[in-house]
Amino acid sequence: MVQILPSILSADFARLGEDIAKVERGGATMLHVDVMDGHFVPNLTLGPPVVKSVRQITSLTLDVHLMITDPDTFAPIFIEAGADQVSVHYEAARHLDRTVRHIQSMGARAGVVLNPATPVSVLEDILYAVDYVLIMSVNPGFGGQKFIPNALNKIRKLDQIRREQRLGFAIEIDGGVNHDNLTEIVQAGCDWMVAGSHVFGSADPAATVKEMQQIAELATAAKV
Ligand code: DX5
Ligand code: ZN
């Protein structure tokens, strides 16, 4: 089923528990956690202790997006801290197959992320092994950026491959998702839509998540 994943990057970190409770009230079932190391991307965010604390206050699925140069070292640490699923950038992973299998061997779902300039074709020999693919619709590093429409073509390509090869991976999108582009994103074949500033920057994050979830479900119904 299609899901809206609020990204805590745009939450108030001094009131993180309260902000998470708001999106839970709005019906979110998954939470997106952006980890940045100041090397792979020009920004720093949070580490395993925050994931561990968040794990203690919510049962939502924790979707951890690693924007770091050394995913092999840190993916296991985030799983131990409570991540249910971890995605690593194709551009950062040196031994992607090994990394994906290691994440899965620890009982977590493994995702691979593509930057805007990286084509879908590079995933040809790993798609059968991954649980999800995350398409960046902005250059990673900051919330609140403008959606790059070419991401839609990449989602369509992935969805086509998924159908042709009868694969089961989910497709996720991250960056610049809002009310206006949501229908088109779902109709392109996307399952999980990350939304940060549009949710936590709104006056009522619970209502925003609920509305976006409804729009996404309507778009799915219209697709079939
Ligand atoms: C960028 C992040 C963001 C974020 C979503 O590195 O991954 O894409 O979570 O932020 P918004 O929804 O504000 O673009
Ligand atoms: Zn992200």
Side-chain angles (χ1 to χ4, degrees), residues 7-145:
S7 167
I8 61 168
L9 182 63
S10 298
D12 179 347
F13 281 98
R15 295 190 171 78
L16 190 52
E18 291 164 42
D19 275 0
I20 291 171
K22 284 180 193 167
V23 295
E24 277 187 11
R25 276 203 299 280
T29 60
M30 300 170 81
L31 209 56
H32 186 77
V33 181
D34 283 317
V35 177
M36 306 186 190
D37 67 352
H39 292 278
F40 183 67
V41 288
N43 198 7
L44 281 164
T45 54
L46 53 87
V50 176
V51 172
K52 200 172 171 192
S53 297
V54 168
R55 178 73 293 161
Q56 282 158 13
I57 57 120
T58 184
S59 57
L60 297 190
T61 297
L62 296 183
D63 173 42
V64 173
H65 172 195
L66 296 183
M67 285 162 273
I68 64 177
T69 50
D70 187 1
D72 292 354
T73 301
F74 289 100
I77 297 172
F78 280 97
I79 296 167
E80 274 157 22
D84 298 289
Q85 52 189 55
V86 177
S87 59
V88 300
H89 272 260
Y90 168 82
E91 301 84 3
R94 196 171 282 226
H95 298 284
L96 189 55
D97 184 90
R98 179 187 286 149
T99 311
V100 162
R101 290 177 198 282
H102 189 54
I103 291 170
Q104 291 166 337
S105 75
M106 292 184 72
R109 287 198 279 207
V112 179
V113 194
L114 295 183
N115 274 337
T118 308
V120 164
S121 55
V122 299
L123 298 182
E124 189 181 331
D125 289 300
I126 192 76
L127 280 179
Y128 73 96
V130 299
D131 297 297
Y132 60 107
V133 177
L134 169 49
I135 297 295
M136 290 307 301
S137 39
V138 296
N139 285 291
F142 303 94
Q145 301 182 78

Side-chain angles (χ1 to χ4, degrees), residues 143-203:
Q145 301 182 78
K146 200 167 169 276
F147 186 79
I148 298 172
N150 187 51
L152 293 169
N153 296 326
K154 291 165 83 172
I155 288 172
R156 287 187 198 107
K157 271 186 203 160
L158 272 172
D159 188 41
Q160 191 181 347
I161 296 170
R162 181 167 63 171
R163 280 186 277 112
E164 282 170 3
Q165 300 183 16
R166 297 172 195 270
L167 296 173
F169 61 84
I171 304 174
E172 180 174 20
I173 197 164
D174 186 7
V177 175
N178 57 42
H179 273 69
D180 297 333
N181 54 25
L182 193 48
T183 299
E184 209 180 355
I185 291 168
V186 173
Q187 286 179 343
C190 196
D191 308 291
W192 302 340
M193 283 70 62
V194 174
S197 50
H198 194 66
V199 168
F200 289 108
S202 71

